[in-house]
Amino acid sequence: SWVQSHLMPYLNPVILSFGLLGNYVFHSGELLRGREKLTVWKLALPLQWVLLATRWGVGWGTALMYGWTGTLGIYYFTLALLNHNPAHCMDISARNRSKDWGEAQMHASADWCVNMPFNRAFVFLWLNYHTVHHMFPRVDFSHHPAIQKIMVHTCKEFEIKYECGNPVELYKEMVQSFASPRSLFQEALVYGTL
């Protein structure tokens, strides 16, 4: 539709600016349903708003709260969406041809700037090694660069396509996928069922 193709790519940052608040509301609902434990950290977000509103007034306090949560939401959720929405991640037919779970992960996530030193990858919140995270979710991310080198070698050995892109190009592909979804109405199958 016109809204999907012309409006949504530009509305995406506005929607993402509410991501932190939306995430908080969702997890608060889970807390009320008894699916999460109450910890002192659940009070951090409302307490920050109370402190800002007390110091600057309700209007400015709310604006300041939205300013930092909105910025963080846009930054974090853009990186997170970048992990799963570039063109190759939307190629459901390639994903469905995967012979096993590991190969399916190569089609389900995106990596970028993988040659960046670990201490500088903080700029991407270490989300730039996302395929490694999919393959080894419990491994500390300080080990991701070494694992990624092994993964690249293994992909070559077994002739599995592995893509590592430029973040600017992946961002353009992601925005294009919001404007014109490539995988709409396609069923992602469990590997090996084709």
Side-chain angles (χ1 to χ4, degrees):
S1 76
W2 185 89
V3 171
Q4 178 75 32
S5 61
H6 292 89
L7 200 53
M8 288 311 291
Y10 305 105
L11 277 180
N12 186 48
V14 175
I15 295 167
L16 294 181
S17 73
F18 292 98
L20 191 100
L21 178 61
N23 199 27
Y24 183 82
V25 168
F26 173 80
H27 286 283
S28 295
E30 293 296 293
L31 179 69
L32 293 173
R33 290 182 189 92
R35 297 182 198 155
E36 284 197 26
K37 286 194 317 186
L38 178 62
T39 66
V40 69
W41 297 110
K42 297 284 185 190
L43 303 174
L45 198 64
L47 182 60
Q48 287 177 346
W49 180 80
V50 168
L51 292 173
L52 288 170
T54 301
R55 172 65 179 96
W56 300 101
V58 173
W60 274 113
T62 301
L64 289 169
M65 187 76 171
Y66 173 72
W68 82 261
T69 60
T71 302
L72 181 62
I74 292 168
Y75 185 63
Y76 171 76
F77 288 107
T78 296
L79 292 174
L81 288 169
L82 196 58
N83 289 137
H84 298 286
N85 291 284
H88 81 273
C89 295
M90 298 287 111
D91 187 351
I92 298 299
S93 61
R95 186 173 174 186
N96 286 344
R97 287 191 302 272
S98 299
K99 295 177 188 76
D100 60 28
W101 176 85
E103 185 176 353
Q105 301 314 300
M106 299 298 139
H107 298 291
S109 55
D111 294 339
W112 63 88
C113 298
V114 294
N115 294 322
M116 180 178 274
F118 174 77
N119 61 342
R120 289 183 45 213
F122 81 93
V123 73
F124 296 123
L125 307 174
W126 296 281
L127 291 171
N128 53 322
Y129 288 96
H130 206 66
T131 306
V132 174
H133 164 71
H134 272 234
M135 297 292 288
F136 306 99
R138 300 198 65 172
V139 173
D140 182 89
F141 53 81
S142 66
H143 300 291
H144 286 184
I147 293 171
Q148 196 263 348
K149 289 176 183 169
I150 296 168
M151 191 176 70
V152 168
H153 176 74
T154 305
C155 285
K156 286 179 184 174
E157 181 181 343
F158 289 93
E159 298 178 354
I160 296 172
K161 185 177 181 182
Y162 168 70
E163 293 189 34
C164 181
N166 173 309
V168 174
E169 292 305 314
L170 292 174
Y171 180 81
K172 289 176 186 177
E173 291 177 16
M174 177 187 75
V175 170
Q176 179 60 34
S177 76
F178 296 150
S180 177
R182 294 174 178 91
S183 60
L184 207 55
F185 304 116
Q186 294 182 32
E187 183 179 4
L189 304 173
V190 176
Y191 52 85
T193 59
L194 263 180

